Amino acid sequence: MIVATLGGGYLLATEDDGGNNDISTGMVDENTGEVITTNVSVDVTSDVTEAVEKVEDSVVSVVNMQSQTSQDFGDAFETEEGMQEDSNLETAGEGSGVIYKKDNDTAYVVTNNHVIDGSDAIEVILKDGTKVEAELIGTDIWTDLAVLSIPAENVTTVATFGDSEVLRVGEPAIAIGSPLGTNFASSVTQGIISAKNRSVETDITGDGVADWEVTAIQTDAAINPGNSGGALINIAGQVIGINSMKISSDTVEGMGFAIPSNDVVDIINQLEADGEVVRPVLGVSLLDLTEISEQQQEAVLNLPEEVTSGIVVSEVQADSAAEIAGIEQYDVIVKFNGVEVTDSISLRKEIYASELGKEIEVEYYHDGELQTTTVTMTAEIDL
């Protein structure tokens, strides 16, 4: 038997038998001599196909519609009555979402905040192609989550959430969504859980500087633009994460990230109830000490040489929790609730993890002197 590779395939030929080669071409119709398919069916049911069947009908496409203004006929017919502006909704972006709840005539969809950000209207496309208008219930920029409501008339399946805390590295992970848009809706990719509790720095404000750190599930299941907001499921067909982002680089493959289901459930419950997530705030503007030159650290902050990390208060809002506690501009916060803070991300995470109304001890340098104060956490003033 001779085997030769041909661009990833191979060619099989039998040995010469008396000068005649008997080339096998598969099943042939005895009457016509044409090649036909066999009638042998193969059972391809597996744990993966069963898991997908449980949840695939609950994964939808989410379309971000934005108004585009145009003027009829340009300036050629510009008159008081003739010139008018038409506002038309056009697709500005597409992503995915997961139907997780059905309550009488209303169904609820979770997706990413960045999928619907800036929308003037939102359209949800079900797996069977049915299009429905969605209402925005609430969003949370910090966890990149949003909740939508849609009519439940054509909703047949809702997803269930699994416990992301009990995930094991190496167990199967399956991503379902609409990569590159609705043309590829309900695409399924498979991989494993590559890591748990990954800290991924993100730029929330769009200024090119990381200002938040997302705790995420890492997976090598293929995740592409358009998968955002879709489901990452386990082998039991439970949603264990909402796909949110990937590392995009020519030198990087298979590094996607999903918001853990336990975090998702906590946020969507708050968004359903209040339309927002209420978090404690200090009422200050922050700068990392590393952003301040050594000359300014000495001349303006009057910091001791041994202080090399901390958070500089660049502005204090009137009547804020920080002002009431005596924190002033140019103070340098080094500890919050007993935890050392080295940058604005770590301080913000500690602030958001604290409880409203709780008294928190803060250590800071004021004019070069280490001081301690107690801050009562409030939500009256946003950062």
Side-chain angles (χ1 to χ4, degrees):
M1 190 73 72
I2 302 170
V3 180
T5 61
L6 297 173
Y10 57 85
L11 175 67
L12 293 180
T14 60
E15 292 181 354
D16 190 352
D17 182 12
N20 295 319
N21 287 340
D22 180 14
I23 305 298
S24 174
T25 57
M27 293 293 292
V28 177
D29 188 297
E30 293 180 356
N31 297 320
T32 65
E34 295 178 346
V35 178
I36 60 174
T37 60
T38 71
N39 59 1
V40 177
S41 63
V42 180
D43 183 5
V44 293
T45 301
S46 67
D47 290 342
V48 173
T49 60
E50 290 179 351
V52 171
E53 286 175 359
K54 289 179 183 179
V55 72
E56 61 180 343
D57 286 346
S58 68
V59 180
V60 299
S61 297
V62 178
V63 183
N64 181 324
M65 309 291 289
Q66 297 183 16
S67 61
Q68 306 293 325
T69 302
S70 62
Q71 292 184 329
D72 292 340
F73 306 111
D75 296 331
F77 300 93
E78 187 170 358
T79 65
E80 254 182 61
E81 295 81 19
M83 180 61 70
Q84 56 180 330
E85 292 187 351
D86 293 332
S87 180
N88 301 310
L89 290 176
E90 296 183 1
T91 299
E94 298 178 338
S96 306
V98 181
I99 303 172
Y100 66 88
K101 179 179 176 180
K102 186 176 179 180
D103 185 8
N104 296 321
D105 297 331
T106 303
Y108 294 86
V109 179
V110 59
T111 185
N112 284 144
N113 174 72
H114 76 259
V115 169
I116 54 83
D117 188 38
S119 62
D120 295 305
I122 304 169
E123 188 176 71
V124 166
I125 305 176
L126 306 182
K127 186 177 184 296
D128 64 3
T130 302
K131 296 182 180 181
V132 293
E133 186 176 344
E135 179 184 348
L136 180 61
I137 300 299
T139 66
D140 182 48
I141 189 174
W142 297 104
T143 56
D144 194 23
L145 291 172
V147 170
L148 316 173
S149 67
I150 60 173
E153 179 181 359
N154 295 300
V155 174
T156 59
T157 305
V158 296
T160 58
F161 289 102
D163 185 354
S164 56
E165 286 297 320
V166 300
L167 292 177
R168 300 178 61 185
V169 173
E171 73 170 89
I174 305 162
I176 309 177
S178 304
L180 306 184
T182 54
N183 288 339
F184 298 96
S186 302
S187 292
V188 178
T189 57
Q190 183 186 7
I192 61 172
I193 300 296
S194 303
K196 298 167 56 178
N197 300 318
R198 284 293 196 214
S199 294
V200 185
E201 291 187 349
T202 57
D203 175 18
I204 299 295
T205 57
D207 60 359
V209 178
D211 43 28
W212 185 242
E213 200 171 68
V214 176
T215 300
I217 300 167
Q218 181 184 335
T219 180
D220 66 346
I223 295 176
N224 293 288
N227 273 116
S228 293
L232 186 70
I233 67 172
N234 60 17
I235 205 66
Q238 300 171 320
V239 177
I240 52 174
I242 296 299
N243 298 320
S244 182
M245 54 190 164
K246 64 176 291 186
I247 294 179
S248 182
S249 169
D250 292 338
T251 59
V252 177
E253 290 186 11
M255 293 189 69
F257 300 92
I259 305 165
S261 55
N262 289 22
D263 294 343
V264 173
V265 169
D266 177 50
I267 296 299
I268 63 178
N269 284 332
Q270 293 183 63
L271 293 179
E272 273 191 52
D274 304 315
E276 62 179 347
V277 177
V278 180
R279 293 185 174 90
V281 295
L282 276 180
V284 298
S285 298
L286 308 173
L287 282 175
D288 292 353
L289 183 59
T290 54
E291 297 180 51
I292 310 300
S293 68
E294 291 185 8
Q295 181 181 4
Q296 289 180 316
Q297 289 184 32
E298 181 180 346
V300 179
L301 304 179
N302 195 27
L303 279 179
E305 291 184 1
E306 63 269 19
V307 180
T308 58
S309 64
I311 309 302
V312 180
V313 177
S314 61
E315 184 180 352
V316 181
Q317 295 178 344
D319 300 322
S320 65
E323 185 183 65
I324 294 172
I327 295 175
E328 300 178 9
Q329 186 181 39
Y330 302 141
D331 286 347
V332 180
I333 299 173
V334 292
K335 276 190 179 182
F336 185 89
N337 199 25
V339 178
E340 184 176 348
V341 291
T342 57
D343 54 32
S344 56
I345 294 176
S346 61
L347 177 57
R348 188 175 283 115
K349 289 179 76 71
E350 289 299 324
I351 292 172
Y352 290 169
S354 60
E355 298 177 9
L356 289 171
K358 185 177 181 180
E359 293 186 347
I360 301 294
E361 186 177 273
V362 178
E363 291 185 24
Y364 64 100
Y365 281 90
H366 176 77
D367 197 25
E369 297 292 330
L370 183 62
Q371 299 188 16
T372 302
T373 188
T374 299
V375 177
T376 302
M377 304 308 298
T378 67
E380 296 177 358
I381 301 176
D382 294 328
L383 281 174

